[in-house]
Amino acid sequence: MKVLKFGGSSVGSPESIKGIISIVKDRVALNEEIALVFSAFSKVTDQLIEMGELASKDKDYDHLLDQYIKRHNEAATILSGSESLLATLSENHAHLKNLLVGVRLVREVSSRTMDYVLSFGERNSNLIIAAALESAGLPSLFVDARDIIKTNKEFGSAKVNFAITNEKIKVAQPTWKGKIPVVTGFIASDIGGLTTTLGRGGSDYTAAILAAGVEAEVLEIWTDVDGVLTSDPRKVGKAYTLPTLSYAEAMEMSHFGAKVIYPPTIQPALSKGIPIYIKNTFNPTFPGTLISKEGKDDFPSIIKGITALSKTSLLRLQGSGMIGVTGISSRLFGSLARAKVNIILITQASSEHSICLAIAEKDTRTAVEAIEEEFEKEIAAGAIDPTLVEKGLTVMAIVGERMKHTPGVAGKLFESLGKNGINVIAIAQGSSELNISFVIDSKDESKALNAIHDSFFLSDNRRINVYLVGVGLIGSTLLQQIEQQREELIRNFQLEINVVGISNSRKMFFNPDGIALNDWKSSLEKSELASSPASFVKHMTELNLSNSVFIDCTANKDVPLLYDVILKANISIATPNKVATSSSYAKYLELKKLAADRKIHFKYETNVGAGLPVISSIQNLINSGDKVHKIEAVVSGSLSYIFNNFDGSKKFSDLVMEAKQLGYTEPDPREDLSGADVKRKLIILTREMGHAIEADEVVVHPILPDAVMNAADVEDFFVQLIAHEEYFTGMIEKANSEKKVLRFVGVTENGKASVSLQFLGQDSPFYSLASSDNMFVITSNRYNKRPLKVSGPGAGAEVTAAGVFADLLMMF
């Protein structure tokens, strides 16, 4: 015989039940002998609980009762139409009404009474399904589980008496011959006949008890998912079905929160060696998950699953009076057992100074009262501290039999958590090495699940979640480059870049599953989320995704003020925005230290030289033991373009206008011509050399006459620039007469920095610069007689975006 159990949303409507009947017909056609177990119709149990509670408080429940009766009567009519069935249901409805009236009169609903109330849902649902099978030409028999499953009197979560139960199943089994028994799930009775229930997952448990009692060849749990998954698919989008599990692995996963199968279900099947299949009613051809004694060991990952049990509290009993004292643990656990508090996890340091244990958050108050009553004298004497409580926690576990004797599993686990800034509060691992359990803050649960899942199950494909602020010229070009390179990175480097948040100055848009980069403009325009730097960062940190990177492609001065908040959230940063690294030296050091302490990244290669490898070259020299003494640089792409083309053939004002129209300069060209941009870059270079320098320590020799610099606005600036054309003409004529060129050069040496317009001859490396090219001449111990030169385009969206892209790739 095979036992098939159906539950969840798969018994939620007449349409779904018709699908179940189709599955049963297929089995009958194969001449399989089967028994069926059904849970109550979807959400009926919740309705009955609510009715019982409302009745006990003398509140109106008639609307719920009407819905309950109507649902069952309609289902009976559609699926069977049997007059005798409707009469039986009507009788049951009358009993339920009378029971609820009694509850209302005494203003109390005990666990015993509630078990009886709940039994109506199971019995009515199974009566309807048995009749529906009969109507479909499948001879069936309604079996009330209270007649065959016997328990103690722990109402709400009764314990099964297997000796009596198995005997009653053996006696009943011959009476089912030639028919399909339809057995009520979840309910049972004590020896005297009082109705009891089997607790959470009780219908699955019923099926397992029945399977063991009839010594079934297989137990099939039909639900609304494709089997047991590697993790919760609602929180881990890439979770997938496990083809096999051992009984031990399934027990561990179910204990720590896997909701497809419940811990008690496995034990009866395990005791008789009955394999369990977890299958999907809505996808019956899918193989699902097989749970058996061995399980298969050809699964590609060392671990089988990651589980999370939320709404837990951590209690800590500690004090010097515990050290070397026997019986403390016994008293602690005994007090909790008497209070009926279940312990999820236990950990104790070898110092014996403290014991930590995790429990369900709902049991916190009961547990604390029980502990403090037990240790009242020790607490009063100061030998033991009052119980310390931490709430809002999640107990997580990784599970897998292949973890045993496999080194590096724990290291890989905690490295993936550490890299994502997830603090582990407590850890426990048994000597069986079947699972590693740990406690974290619940706000990090989803992030932890995804980080661990990526680490163990998707190690060939690393996923980066990118947030981009600033989708102007550089930002939009970066998005285009990411889209163009996406498949190449996945194919050749197993790197998946997932852009999950974008923002301009007006709106922001988020999609944790990834924004379609071929349509990001439309998505952003349609978004109703108003944008500000603070709101974007708040939304980003609340999403709390693993492997996150924030990219700032703005010139905004407010965004860098939030860099410390972002880094503290363990989100790496890549940016061409120079504000943070050129602000105070203390802030510069703080940001670098925040990144280093959290083992994340703060990348700003494009702060100087656009996409040129300048900062990384300096860092590599210093990290490898070299000392950089001096850097001379033509470092402004806009000023390079202007002075590299200023040979007297064009007016200076025309070249400035041309540079502005090409996008090389800021909207107000004075930002460039004042030397402010070069000054910021020189500050960054000086700091990278290892020197503390502030903005007011950089000497800038101005190149603009005061009247031009102090113009009222941009339009007036160009008026004044044209009016002072002779000033610039005089400079270029002097340079030409000396066979020299004009270059705006920054120099930093031994912590001293200056910026000036220089007349340079052919012996200067800057003499031959063209277009918007930058050049950096680096003198160090190793590069002394022949300095290291780095040159190339120092401005432009393509090269700057490419530099940011390279920073992003260097992180992973």
Side-chain angles (χ1 to χ4, degrees):
M1 176 177 278
K2 293 182 177 180
V3 176
L4 282 63
K5 181 265 173 179
F6 294 90
S9 60
S10 62
V11 286
S13 66
E15 290 74 23
S16 61
I17 294 170
K18 288 175 182 177
I20 292 171
I21 292 172
S22 176
I23 293 170
V24 174
K25 279 185 174 180
D26 289 342
R27 297 303 180 87
V28 171
L30 294 171
N31 293 319
E32 291 183 359
E33 185 183 3
I34 58 175
L36 305 180
V37 175
F38 286 86
S39 61
F41 288 172
S42 177
K43 298 183 180 178
V44 161
T45 299
D46 291 338
Q47 272 188 325
L48 288 166
I49 291 172
E50 189 175 356
M51 282 191 274
E53 290 176 345
L54 288 172
S56 70
K57 297 173 184 175
D58 195 23
K59 293 185 178 180
D60 179 54
Y61 55 82
D62 289 343
H63 62 292
L64 290 174
L65 183 59
D66 290 342
Q67 290 173 14
Y68 169 86
I69 293 172
K70 181 180 179 183
R71 183 177 183 189
H72 284 90
N73 287 345
E74 285 181 350
T77 303
I78 293 169
L79 292 168
S80 171
S82 164
E83 291 295 331
S84 62
L85 171 63
L86 290 170
T88 302
L89 290 178
S90 179
E91 186 179 338
N92 285 347
H93 296 331
H95 284 314
L96 177 61
K97 285 181 181 179
N98 291 335
L99 180 61
L100 291 172
V101 168
V103 170
R104 193 168 197 168
L105 289 172
V106 299
R107 303 279 181 92
E108 182 184 353
V109 58
S110 65
S111 297
R112 170 179 164 177
T113 303
M114 184 60 84
D115 277 0
Y116 188 43
V117 169
L118 294 177
S119 75
F120 285 92
E122 307 295 329
R123 288 184 285 141
N124 287 348
S125 298
N126 279 268
L127 280 166
I128 292 168
I129 292 166
L133 289 168
E134 284 280 353
S135 296
L138 299 166
S140 303
L141 176 69
F142 169 76
V143 178
D144 191 332
R146 296 178 299 177
D147 296 332
I148 57 174
I149 299 178
K150 295 299 174 178
T151 69
N152 64 8
K153 293 184 179 181
E154 288 185 32
F155 300 102
S157 187
K159 303 297 183 292
V160 176
N161 185 322
F162 280 97
I164 298 175
T165 296
N166 288 338
E167 184 60 35
K168 285 190 172 290
I169 291 173
K170 284 180 182 178
V171 171
Q173 190 175 357
T175 67
W176 306 339
K177 193 170 182 63
K179 293 193 173 185
I180 301 170
V182 179
V183 184
T184 56
F186 185 53
I187 61 173
S189 68
D190 75 339
I191 301 301
L194 294 174
T195 299
T196 59
T197 58
L198 301 177
R200 176 175 173 260
S203 294
D204 288 357
Y205 193 23
T206 301
I209 295 165
L210 181 63
V214 300
E215 297 185 355
E217 60 182 281
V218 70
L219 167 61
E220 298 178 9
I221 307 291
W222 289 79
T223 180
D224 48 13
V225 293
D226 283 335
V228 181
L229 276 68
T230 50
S231 194
D232 187 341
R234 295 168 300 178
K235 297 173 183 176
V236 180
K238 292 189 176 182
Y240 58 91
T241 303
L242 292 162
T244 63
L245 283 171
S246 69
Y247 290 129
E249 288 169 335
M251 287 279 279
E252 292 290 336
M253 289 185 68
S254 62
H255 176 72
F256 283 100
K259 294 180 179 178
V260 176
I261 189 166
Y262 299 98
T265 304
I266 299 164
Q267 190 57 49
L270 185 155
S271 65
K272 294 291 180 75
I274 300 169
I276 304 171
Y277 278 96
I278 310 296
K279 294 178 71 69
N280 189 347
T281 310
F282 303 105
N283 188 14
T285 59
F286 191 82
T289 301
L290 168 63
I291 302 171
S292 60
K293 183 177 180 180
E294 300 296 335
K296 293 183 179 179
D297 59 3
D298 57 354
F299 190 67
S301 174
I302 293 293
I303 72 170
K304 286 287 185 73
I306 312 158
T307 63
L309 198 58
S310 56
K311 295 183 180 178
T312 60
S313 293
L314 196 67
L315 308 186
R316 186 161 74 249
L317 188 68
Q318 66 180 32
S320 58
M322 294 171 58
I323 300 172
V325 178
T326 59
I328 293 289
S329 297
S330 173
R331 291 173 60 195
L332 172 62
F333 301 135
S335 68
L336 293 173
R338 289 190 294 275
K340 299 188 185 310
V341 174
N342 182 52
I343 300 172
I344 301 166
L345 173 147
I346 305 164
T347 180
Q348 181 177 19
S350 59
S351 67
E352 301 183 48
H353 181 262
S354 67
I355 301 175
C356 288
L357 49 93
I359 61 171
E361 200 167 74
K362 65 181 177 62
D363 293 332
T364 304
R365 183 175 177 179
T366 302
V368 171
E369 288 175 354
I371 294 169
E372 298 202 341
E373 181 181 347
E374 177 67 33
F375 294 97
E376 183 179 4
K377 291 179 181 178
E378 289 88 346
I379 292 171
I384 292 178
D385 299 337
T387 310
L388 297 174
V389 178
E390 289 185 71
K391 294 183 179 180
L393 305 178
T394 293
V395 177
M396 296 186 65
I398 60 170
V399 176
E401 293 213 66
R402 288 175 59 201
M403 287 164 51
K404 191 170 187 177
H405 305 315
T406 302
V409 177
K412 189 174 185 179
L413 166 66
F414 296 119
E415 181 184 25
S416 66
L417 294 172
K419 281 184 175 179
N420 285 282
I422 299 166
N423 182 50
V424 176
I425 301 167
I427 305 166
Q429 181 179 20
S431 59
S432 68
E433 298 185 70
L434 185 59
N435 88 43
I436 300 174
S437 307
F438 54 96
V439 182
I440 63 169
D441 194 307
S442 288
K443 69 179 175 59
D444 291 323
E445 180 183 318
S446 180
K447 187 177 185 180
L449 284 169
N450 281 276
I452 299 167
H453 198 273
D454 283 357
S455 180
F456 282 95
F457 294 108
L458 304 171
S459 55
D460 289 342
N461 257 25
R462 294 162 295 161
R463 186 177 188 179
I464 308 171
N465 293 305
V466 172
Y467 300 88
L468 173 65
V469 170
V471 289
L473 199 55
I474 294 172
S476 60
T477 303
L478 174 61
L479 291 175
Q480 184 181 15
Q481 290 176 353
I482 291 173
E483 183 185 16
Q484 290 172 345
Q485 198 67 6
R486 178 180 174 82
E487 295 304 319
E488 182 81 7
L489 290 171
I490 293 173
R491 184 169 56 252
N492 293 333
F493 300 98
Q494 293 77 51
L495 188 64
E496 182 182 347
I497 298 177
N498 195 40
V499 179
V500 294
I502 52 176
S503 173
N504 58 23
S505 59
R506 298 178 297 105
K507 294 183 176 184
M508 57 186 184
F509 176 68
F510 296 88
N511 183 349
D513 295 324
I515 296 168
L517 296 187
N518 59 356
D519 193 37
W520 66 265
K521 289 182 181 177
S522 174
S523 298
L524 184 59
E525 191 57 39
K526 291 175 184 176
S527 175
E528 297 181 358
L529 290 174
S531 177
S532 72
S535 61
F536 187 92
V537 170
K538 183 175 184 290
H539 204 101
M540 174 177 69
T541 53
E542 286 175 349
L543 279 176
N544 205 20
L545 299 178
S546 61
N547 301 325
S548 292
V549 180
F550 175 79
I551 298 177
D552 175 13
C553 281
T554 73
N556 190 307
K557 294 180 180 179
D558 293 330
V559 177
L561 296 176
L562 296 166
Y563 283 4
D564 58 343
V565 176
I566 296 166
L567 292 170
K568 286 174 183 176
N570 271 73
I571 298 172
S572 294
I573 296 174
T575 180
N577 188 326
K578 296 178 284 292
V579 171
T581 47
S582 62
S583 61
S584 74
Y585 184 63
K587 176 58 71 174
Y588 164 85
L589 290 179
E590 178 193 352
L591 295 177
K592 288 174 72 74
K593 186 176 187 301
L594 278 172
D597 288 349
R598 284 161 175 73
K599 292 181 172 56
I600 54 175
H601 301 275
F602 176 40
K603 295 280 190 181
Y604 46 91
E605 180 72 71
T606 49
N607 279 195
V608 180
L612 295 176
V614 179
I615 290 175
S616 58
S617 294
I618 296 169
Q619 290 173 344
N620 289 338
L621 288 173
I622 294 171
N623 291 340
S624 63
D626 201 354
K627 181 174 178 60
V628 178
H629 299 287
K630 181 180 181 181
I631 300 176
E632 302 163 274
V634 171
V635 74
S636 167
S638 55
L639 295 183
S640 286
Y641 180 84
I642 292 168
F643 287 109
N644 291 351
N645 290 286
F646 188 37
D647 56 9
S649 60
K650 286 185 178 180
K651 292 180 180 179
F652 185 77
S653 57
D654 289 342
L655 282 171
V656 174
M657 177 60 77
E658 195 174 295
K660 182 177 183 297
Q661 290 171 345
L662 290 170
Y664 287 142
T665 73
E666 296 295 330
D668 187 341
R670 285 174 292 183
E671 282 287 310
D672 303 272
L673 290 164
S674 67
D677 183 58
V678 177
K679 176 181 176 178
R680 283 194 290 266
K681 292 173 179 176
L682 211 58
I683 291 169
I684 297 165
L685 290 174
T686 305
R687 289 172 176 175
E688 291 301 308
M689 292 166 66
H691 302 290
I693 190 170
E694 301 292 355
D696 58 5
E697 296 177 67
V698 181
V699 178
V700 179
H701 299 281
I703 60 173
L704 292 178
D706 288 345
V708 179
M709 190 64 200
N710 296 326
D713 50 32
V714 175
E715 184 178 350
D716 186 38
F717 160 74
F718 277 104
V719 171
Q720 294 296 330
L721 194 63
I722 293 167
H724 290 77
E725 194 68 58
E726 285 186 11
Y727 171 78
F728 299 101
T729 301
M731 284 196 295
I732 193 60
E733 286 177 350
K734 180 177 184 297
N736 287 340
S737 67
E738 296 175 3
K739 295 184 178 180
K740 293 182 177 181
V741 293
L742 291 170
R743 299 289 184 262
F744 199 60
V745 181
V747 179
T748 175
E749 184 173 10
N750 298 323
K752 305 295 182 183
S754 63
V755 182
S756 62
L757 187 64
Q758 297 183 15
F759 292 78
L760 302 174
Q762 294 183 18
D763 59 340
S764 169
F766 303 122
Y767 183 86
S768 301
L769 282 175
S771 186
S772 63
D773 283 1
N774 282 190
M775 178 177 282
F776 301 82
V777 180
I778 303 170
T779 303
S780 70
N781 285 346
R782 294 175 189 156
Y783 294 88
N784 193 357
K785 293 182 180 179
R786 296 176 61 195
L788 174 66
K789 298 182 182 67
V790 180
S791 66
E798 284 286 338
V799 292
T800 305
V804 176
F805 199 177
D807 270 352
L808 176 62
L809 296 178
M810 286 292 289
M811 296 180 187
F812 295 91

